[in-house]
Amino acid sequence: MMETGARRDPLILTRNLTRIYTVGGSSVAGINAVDLVIAPAELVVLKGNSGSGKSTLLSLLAGLDRPTSGDLLVAGHDLGNRRATDLTDFRRNVVGMVFQSFNLLPTLTVLENVLLPALLAARPAEPARRKAEELLDWLGLKSRREHFPAQLSGGEMQRTAIARALINDPALILADEPTGNLDSRNGRLVMDLLAELNRRSGCTVLIATHSDLADALATRRLFLSDGALREDACDA
Amino acid sequence: MRRLNFFVRVFVWFSVRNLTRHPGRALIVVLGIALGAAVFTSVRISVHASLDAFNRSMAHVAGAAEQVAVQPGGYVSETAIPILAHHPAVSRFSPVLTTYVRPARSPADAFFLIGIDPILDRAFRQWQLDQGYGARGQIPWADLIAEPYTLILSQPLAAELGVAAGGRVELDHNRGTHAFRVLATLNPGGLALVEGGRVAITDIATYQEFTGLLGGVDRIDLIFRPNTTAQQIDHLASALPESLEMNPPSAARDSGNAMIRAYQLNLSVLSFISLFVGMFLVYSLVALNAAARRRELAVMRALGASPGMLFRLFLAEGALLGLAGWLVAIPLSGLMVNYLVRVVSRTISTLFVRVQPESLALSAWEVLFSFGATLFVSVMAAYQPARAAMGVAPKEAMEIGQRMPQGRYTARRLVLPAMGCIAACAPLSLMRGIAGIPIPGYLAILLLFVGFSLLAPWMLQGLGRLLAPGLRRVAGIPAYLAGCYLRSSGTRISVSVGALITAVALFASLVIMIHSFRRTVELWVAQTVSGDLFVTTKMGEINRYRFPIPEEIVAGLQRLAPEADVVESRRYQLRYEGFPYELEVLGMRTFLRHGGFVWLKGDPETILPRLERGDGALVSEVFSNRTGLTVGDRLHAQIEYSRVVLPVLGVVRDYRTDGGIVFYSWHRFRELFHDPGWSGVRFYFQNRGPDVDDQVVRLRNEIAQRYGDRLDMVSGKALRQSILEIFDETFAVTTILLFIALVVAALGITTTLSILVLERTRQLNTIAAVGGSEAQIRGIILWEAAYLVTVGEIAGLVCGFVLSYLLVYVINRQSFGWTFLYTVDWGALAYSLPLIGLTALGAAIPAVRSVLRQPPATLLRER
């Protein structure tokens, strides 16, 4: 079992976490018997080759998918046995997601995209709006708040996505290849932002990536290979 | 050939396989197109069957005649026969009489009886007796001449009446009932096919004695000698009595055709609407494929496909959907056509001319036309998406991430052409029809639909912008997100709105038109078809009142009911420059005391006294529109032996469907010209208390006791009721066509929303990933449907009002010559539009259910 921060309650705790997909009549293990403990305020980099199970693990941690077997606790929520409505509440209040393809809604402005999770969670509109504006200010997007995603650069889109992930003050940020669609300068900027928010707000950040950009920023580095997890020594 | 093979192979790989990967979507589109094509095809086949039956019947009756001598409004005296017989231009002549008779004491319908001279007629018309008759060594035509009250029946008619050669059948006509001996039956062919085979032939002398038309015939058919010149024919015409006219035998057929064709055209256009609505479905699916497969298109381009090839692939996709729809439409048409033939032929028989379509003539042209129309609309629907596919650049294959919609700008660009289309309706609606067909009017309707459909994206975006912020507070985030999506949506989402606009506009306009029409007809019936009891010659209506009531009965009727006012009338069937109309001379003074007219032109205050005096006539709107005669003009007519000139005093509304009508004073007609006799009479009881129905029954019984069954009688109430029932029946087909257009529009909503859900799987999953619940996401789709339906209904209603004006004042005027008093059935609109809205919202359910079919986790697997 990969453990750190043993003195504090872990934010993420998995035991024998397994997800098996059925594809064309045959079973394929996305991840297999993964044991993982991540403490609050860690910045963890998850690496692995394509098809190693990084996305499967992230989708389970995000409450987007359910495990086939094993235990899965995130911020005290047992995600293995939750109803769909509970998982929705979990996504609203506990995690923020950052995707490789940004996944901004093209029909919403930058500000509206950032506000969206707060509105979906029925948070009071005015405080949420102030928070969104603060985040956009922090991320250097103040002048772009009324723009639509089509009018942004890749880096701006990803920064908008980060703001969206932060709007509900999540305990956990899950970033799936956040620099995959960015050039190296913007990639570095995004990684720095994730590290900064980890430092500033103390939220846990888990980054699944092929890139080495986050290596120096991470408190831990994990490797997934054929659905199994191993820890690498951290230089940081 | 090699290139074609290659194209077909790529088409199968690229397009057909993609369609089969999503069979549900393709099936809905095919079903929509099939419904439209089936309606269009079966309506055309049905009307064609009636038209064909009518034309064949008329052709068999006309036979080989080259010209026909007739007496307008009356009968040709047999004294004209020697003139014709001895004229050097005439090779053959044949006097002919036709009427409808009814089997006595039988529920069987009336049938057609032709009176001819069997010897003279052989050169004109073909008819053959069954073989059994000749085998007995008899000479059929000789027996027909030699033995009074004999006739020959067509085989289907003999079977229907249950008689065979040698049997007897009793027939009713205006002078009573008489028994006929059946000499033989006719082999199918020639005259035996007239009126769908419900025909009998008798000798002319028997006919005249039976009907009382001694010395007169309906017409004399002529065949000229070879090389007869126009001058010789003119000479023949001048040798005949002045009151006779020489007409081509096709005159009656042509006017019948003109009336049926106007009906056919309007029904075809109405049925085409379903196909037009189906066009939106094809557009919707092809446009989705073009947009959703943009990356594949870019890869194709990168691999060497030309823009033209992509264009052809998408056009072919539209064509394939059209072809599949048309193939599915064939069995659907088979189901619809039997019903439609029955309803359409009944409507044509009731309104215009009697038709008996005995079999469905599957015209190759109609099949080809329906195929061509279906394919054309499908390919046209695919044209714009195919053009968009052409524009995909190969470099897009290298791009990562999503292409954002540019809908806002496209929608704004469409506003100007949309307004142009709508504005063009005004000048088009003022233009006259071409060859009696309201082509500019139809074009205006098409432009109206196109204009409002082009406005749909802009309206949808406007509504999204306008309502989304407010709805967020009232209805929550799903309503807001739906509005945000629509305000930035492209034209594709508006396509189903275009379909709904078209269907709702059609619905609203037809509701208004039919309501206006009915209210006006009710007014007309109450005014002009007033009276407590109508009495006519026996079988007067079916025989177009050609046989006057015998004089001894007229004298009796005048004395019969001192407590009732009597309005006598005589109707003449005439033509004005080829246009058929009826001159009704009636006891104007008494009529105006009880009834009246629905005025259109002229001041009733000043005209009524003049009308009573017989200073002039009133003409119907139809007559005025068709002939161009209006207030101040003079109508010239030959009526029996009188040359009549009548100043036109006013124009009134009238809804007789077999031509125009002219009203004139009976008494003045008799003073100025000749005694017209009575073809009918109506009674008005002076004491109009609650027992007026009893008075009617008493009078009917008294007339029946005195004159037996020599007269037909109907109470005014029943007559007016039957007119309104016929009216309602006439629009039964319209209602069905309308319903199908609405179904196709609902399918459009289903298709568009299902497509939007599939297309936005990633977006909807993102919403789920950032905290959206399943209910919220379903709510978004439902709200999108609500926006679509709201715009569809509002725009459809506005479009419908404009369309109703076009229908009432342009299409009806140019097609049938009449207009109506414009009234809106607010009640029907108020309860039906919400129902349509709910149905359209119901059509969104499959799309709502399909939400989140793919788990949100796919977001992380799809790069």
Side-chain angles (χ1 to χ4, degrees):
Chain A
M1 184 181 291
M2 311 295 164
E3 293 187 26
T4 63
R7 286 189 300 274
R8 286 182 287 173
D9 286 339
L11 187 81
I12 298 171
L13 174 65
T14 74
R15 277 198 195 93
N16 286 322
L17 187 67
T18 302
R19 177 68 169 99
I20 293 170
Y21 299 106
T22 306
V23 182
S26 59
S27 298
V28 177
I31 52 170
N32 190 18
V34 167
D35 294 334
L36 174 65
V37 178
I38 295 177
E42 282 198 272
L43 194 160
V44 180
V45 172
L46 178 63
K47 292 194 161 187
N49 296 326
S50 293
S52 59
K54 297 191 299 290
S55 296
T56 303
L57 182 58
L58 247 62
S59 62
L60 290 170
L61 296 176
L64 295 174
D65 197 4
R66 291 171 208 262
T68 309
S69 63
D71 298 329
L72 172 58
L73 264 86
V74 180
H77 296 82
D78 180 357
L79 300 185
N81 303 307
R82 287 300 182 93
R83 292 175 304 160
T85 49
D86 295 334
L87 288 178
T88 301
D89 282 341
F90 169 80
R91 289 196 297 269
R92 283 175 181 172
N93 300 312
V94 180
V95 293
M97 292 287 299
V98 179
F99 305 94
Q100 177 182 356
S101 301
F102 325 129
N103 287 339
L104 299 177
L105 297 192
T107 55
L108 302 186
T109 62
V110 165
L111 180 63
E112 289 166 339
N113 262 294
V114 175
L115 268 175
L116 179 64
L119 298 175
L120 289 168
R123 301 259 166 110
E126 205 38 51
R129 186 185 179 86
R130 278 199 300 275
K131 173 89 187 284
E133 285 177 351
E134 278 169 23
L135 285 168
L136 290 174
D137 199 12
W138 174 57
L139 291 163
L141 291 167
K142 192 173 181 179
S143 60
R144 309 293 253 167
R145 45 183 254 173
E146 295 305 327
H147 287 73
F148 284 91
Q151 297 164 301
L152 304 181
S153 69
E156 287 171 327
M157 281 198 262
Q158 197 58 300
R159 277 183 278 149
T160 307
I162 291 170
R164 181 178 66 183
L166 294 174
I167 188 74
N168 285 346
D169 296 318
L172 175 64
I173 297 285
L174 296 170
D176 182 34
E177 295 283 7
T179 59
N181 282 348
L182 300 176
D183 56 36
S184 58
R185 193 182 69 83
N186 274 304
R188 196 174 306 280
L189 187 66
V190 164
M191 287 302 187
D192 287 345
L193 279 172
L194 289 172
E196 189 184 342
L197 76 92
N198 169 251
R199 280 195 304 275
R200 269 174 47 158
S201 64
C203 73
T204 306
V205 177
L206 176 58
I207 304 169
T209 182
H210 282 100
S211 160
D212 297 332
L213 288 170
D215 287 1
L217 306 169
T219 55
R220 289 171 71 195
R221 286 206 301 266
L222 303 174
F223 285 87
L224 254 177
S225 176
D226 297 330
L229 197 63
R230 70 180 170 79
E231 187 152 9
D232 192 26
C234 187
D235 301 332
Chain B
M1 194 63 194
R2 209 162 58 87
R3 290 179 64 171
L4 181 67
N5 279 340
F6 172 69
F7 177 78
V8 171
R9 183 178 293 179
V10 173
F11 178 64
V12 171
W13 285 349
F14 185 79
S15 302
V16 178
R17 283 185 189 167
N18 184 58
L19 287 173
T20 53
R21 274 177 61 202
H22 310 284
R25 300 184 221 171
L27 278 178
I28 289 178
V29 173
V30 167
L31 182 64
I33 279 282
L35 272 174
V39 167
F40 183 66
T41 309
S42 48
V43 160
R44 285 196 62 89
I45 288 176
S46 305
V47 185
H48 182 268
S50 295
L51 202 59
D52 187 58
F54 173 72
N55 280 326
R56 271 189 291 129
S57 184
M58 294 301 278
H60 289 309
V61 172
E66 293 172 14
Q67 285 280 310
V68 176
V70 293
Q71 169 72 62
Y75 296 91
V76 180
S77 167
E78 285 181 337
T79 55
I81 289 177
I83 302 169
L84 294 166
H86 295 108
H87 195 277
V90 176
S91 164
R92 298 261 195 281
F93 67 93
S94 175
V96 181
L97 286 145
T98 58
T99 189
Y100 288 95
V101 293
R102 187 180 292 130
R105 291 178 289 282
S106 161
D109 199 6
F111 64 85
F112 200 55
L113 178 67
I114 305 175
I116 48 173
D117 181 319
I119 301 170
L120 294 175
D121 203 68
R122 291 305 283 180
F124 286 83
R125 277 158 278 268
Q126 293 192 341
W127 45 280
Q128 274 191 326
L129 304 185
D130 66 329
Q131 290 179 343
Y133 194 87
R136 290 192 291 272
Q138 294 153 295
I139 307 167
W141 53 262
D143 285 353
L144 206 58
I145 295 169
E147 186 181 338
Y149 286 100
T150 52
L151 51 67
I152 300 165
L153 294 174
S154 69
Q155 284 172 359
L157 188 58
E160 184 186 333
L161 300 178
V163 289
R168 300 185 80 79
V169 58
E170 286 195 336
L171 300 180
D172 274 349
H173 199 255
N174 62 317
R175 300 211 317 154
T177 305
H178 207 288
F180 284 72
R181 191 168 80 83
V182 179
L183 279 180
T185 55
L186 289 165
N187 277 337
L191 270 187
L193 300 178
V194 166
E195 292 263 329
R198 304 193 75 257
V199 64
I201 299 171
T202 189
D203 176 58
I204 195 164
T206 296
Y207 183 109
Q208 287 174 322
E209 197 176 321
F210 178 49
T211 58
L213 286 175
L214 298 172
V217 296
D218 279 347
R219 63 175 206 257
I220 301 172
D221 290 357
L222 301 171
I223 296 174
F224 297 115
R225 292 184 192 285
N227 306 320
T228 298
T229 62
Q231 285 88 343
Q232 286 174 302
I233 294 174
D234 287 345
H235 178 261
L236 172 63
S238 62
L240 291 169
E242 196 187 359
S243 60
L244 290 191
E245 281 181 7
M246 296 271 281
N247 289 330
S250 60
R253 190 188 64 200
D254 291 346
S255 64
N257 270 327
M259 285 187 279
I260 299 176
R261 277 194 198 286
Y263 175 72
Q264 179 192 34
L265 198 62
N266 280 287
L267 215 53
S268 293
V269 169
L270 189 58
S271 63
F272 181 75
I273 301 287
S274 293
L275 200 51
F276 182 73
V277 173
M279 188 174 167
F280 290 94
L281 270 70
V282 174
Y283 174 89
S284 193
L285 185 58
V286 178
L288 162 82
N289 287 339
R293 306 181 74 197
R294 214 174 159 84
R295 187 178 295 275
E296 292 173 58
L297 294 174
V299 171
M300 293 268 286
R301 289 278 286 117
L303 294 175
S306 67
M309 181 173 197
L310 300 188
F311 177 73
R312 286 191 293 277
L313 278 175
F314 280 91
L315 274 195
E317 197 171 310
L320 181 69
L321 290 168
L323 177 67
W326 186 78
L327 289 172
V328 176
I330 293 173
L332 284 178
S333 305
L335 293 175
M336 289 181 189
V337 83
N338 283 321
Y339 167 76
L340 282 172
V341 164
R342 219 170 41 247
V343 176
V344 165
S345 64
R346 196 168 62 217
T347 303
I348 291 175
S349 294
T350 309
L351 299 185
F352 308 117
V353 289
R354 276 178 70 89
V355 290
Q356 301 266 0
E358 73 277 21
S359 63
L360 278 178
L362 197 62
S363 140
W365 159 247
E366 288 298 334
V367 173
L368 205 65
F369 187 68
S370 121
F371 176 72
T374 310
L375 213 59
F376 176 74
V377 296
S378 305
V379 171
M380 283 306 290
Y383 178 79
Q384 196 275 334
R387 292 270 305 172
M390 269 177 88
V392 174
K395 68 174 184 184
E396 285 186 35
M398 308 295 287
E399 291 175 6
I400 301 173
Q402 57 216 108
R403 283 236 156 194
M404 306 299 178
Q406 299 294 326
R408 202 179 264 216
Y409 310 103
T410 313
R412 216 176 290 159
R413 272 209 305 271
L414 291 177
V415 171
L416 205 61
M419 298 309 282
C421 285
I422 295 169
C425 294
L428 281 170
S429 65
L430 297 174
M431 288 167 69
R432 296 175 70 87
I434 298 166
I437 302 169
I439 288 172
Y442 289 136
L443 193 59
I445 291 176
L446 185 68
L447 286 179
L448 195 66
F449 285 147
V450 171
F452 271 89
S453 300
L454 290 178
L455 269 187
W458 178 74
M459 288 190 282
L460 206 52
Q461 290 172 9
L463 196 73
R465 259 196 305 279
L466 198 69
L467 295 185
L471 279 175
R472 191 177 87 192
R473 283 184 283 277
V474 180
I477 189 73
Y480 174 66
L481 288 176
C484 287
Y485 177 66
L486 294 176
R487 76 183 177 192
S488 307
S489 64
T491 49
R492 274 178 304 124
I493 192 170
S494 315
V495 166
S496 64
V497 183
L500 191 62
I501 288 173
T502 305
V504 170
L506 190 68
F507 174 83
S509 62
L510 285 177
V511 163
I512 294 169
M513 188 201 85
I514 295 171
H515 179 71
S516 301
F517 199 173
R518 200 178 198 283
R519 291 297 296 271
T520 316
V521 167
E522 282 170 16
L523 187 64
W524 165 67
V525 161
Q527 292 279 312
T528 311
V529 194
S530 59
D532 295 318
L533 181 66
F534 288 76
V535 179
T536 63
T537 325
K538 186 162 190 168
M539 303 187 69
E541 188 183 357
I542 195 171
N543 285 312
R544 315 290 306 274
Y545 308 101
R546 289 161 55 206
F547 302 93
I549 298 173
E551 278 179 21
E552 69 275 13
I553 298 181
V554 168
L557 287 173
Q558 280 172 321
R559 290 191 300 271
L560 201 61
E563 75 281 13
D565 286 338
V566 174
V567 174
E568 59 281 85
S569 69
R570 176 68 200 268
R571 299 183 185 196
Y572 293 103
Q573 307 302 320
L574 303 167
R575 284 175 185 281
Y576 184 87
E577 294 176 355
F579 176 67
Y581 73 99
E582 187 175 86
L583 173 72
E584 182 170 359
V585 291
L586 74 167
M588 197 63 80
R589 189 180 303 270
T590 315
F591 170 72
L592 289 174
R593 243 194 351 260
H594 297 279
F597 299 100
V598 186
W599 290 85
L600 197 69
K601 270 189 202 167
D603 173 22
E605 291 288 314
T606 54
I607 293 171
L608 285 175
R610 297 180 64 199
L611 190 66
E612 274 187 29
R613 287 199 302 271
D615 292 350
L618 293 182
V619 299
S620 68
E621 180 189 19
V622 175
F623 182 86
S624 178
N625 284 335
R626 287 284 187 248
T627 62
L629 286 182
T630 187
V631 178
D633 294 334
R634 300 172 91 80
L635 167 67
H636 295 258
Q638 177 71 45
I639 301 165
E640 294 182 309
Y641 306 103
S642 303
R643 194 88 199 146
V644 173
V645 180
L646 301 173
V648 177
L649 299 178
V651 180
V652 293
R653 294 182 191 275
D654 197 280
Y655 297 98
R656 268 160 257 219
T657 50
D658 45 4
I661 185 155
V662 175
F663 296 101
Y664 188 61
S665 160
W666 187 91
H667 295 93
R668 188 64 174 156
F669 186 93
R670 192 174 62 172
E671 283 169 26
L672 290 178
F673 309 113
H674 60 263
D675 184 353
W678 291 15
S679 58
V681 58
R682 56 179 111 177
F683 293 90
Y684 293 90
F685 286 101
Q686 291 148 6
N687 178 13
R688 305 195 50 73
D691 68 333
V692 71
D693 290 345
D694 298 333
Q695 294 183 70
V696 169
V697 172
R698 278 199 297 276
L699 183 57
R700 270 182 91 141
N701 290 340
E702 204 171 331
I703 293 171
Q705 271 178 3
R706 283 203 188 190
Y707 304 111
D709 62 352
R710 294 178 66 188
L711 298 169
D712 279 349
M713 287 179 280
V714 60
S715 76
K717 193 191 268 184
L719 178 63
R720 289 185 285 275
Q721 183 72 29
S722 70
I723 290 172
L724 293 176
E725 277 169 12
I726 289 168
F727 178 92
D728 293 337
E729 254 182 42
T730 306
F731 284 101
V733 177
T734 312
T735 310
I736 291 167
L737 299 186
L738 188 58
F739 174 73
I740 290 173
L742 285 170
V743 168
V744 178
L747 286 176
I749 298 272
T750 308
T751 314
T752 302
L753 287 174
S754 301
I755 283 170
L756 286 176
V757 168
L758 288 165
E759 192 185 9
R760 288 187 299 154
T761 299
R762 192 176 191 85
Q763 284 181 35
L764 298 176
N765 281 342
T766 301
I767 294 171
V770 299
S773 68
E774 201 170 318
Q776 283 174 321
I777 294 172
R778 290 190 199 285
I780 292 171
I781 304 301
L782 205 59
W783 271 103
E784 282 173 9
Y787 280 111
L788 296 185
V789 171
T790 305
V791 169
E793 291 224 340
I794 292 173
L797 195 60
V798 175
C799 180
F801 271 93
V802 181
L803 182 58
S804 67
Y805 268 94
L806 287 176
L807 291 178
V808 172
Y809 295 112
V810 180
I811 301 298
N812 265 284
R813 189 174 189 275
Q814 292 182 8
S815 296
F816 302 107
W818 55 43
T819 58
F820 332 116
L821 297 166
Y822 189 90
T823 48
V824 179
D825 188 355
W826 293 108
L829 291 178
Y831 74 74
S832 50
L833 286 176
L835 269 180
I836 292 174
L838 285 176
T839 310
L841 275 180
I845 288 172
V848 172
R849 287 166 63 100
S850 70
V851 161
L852 298 185
R853 204 164 273 173
Q854 278 190 306
T858 50
L859 277 175
L860 299 171
R861 288 202 293 273
E862 290 173 3
R863 298 279 187 233

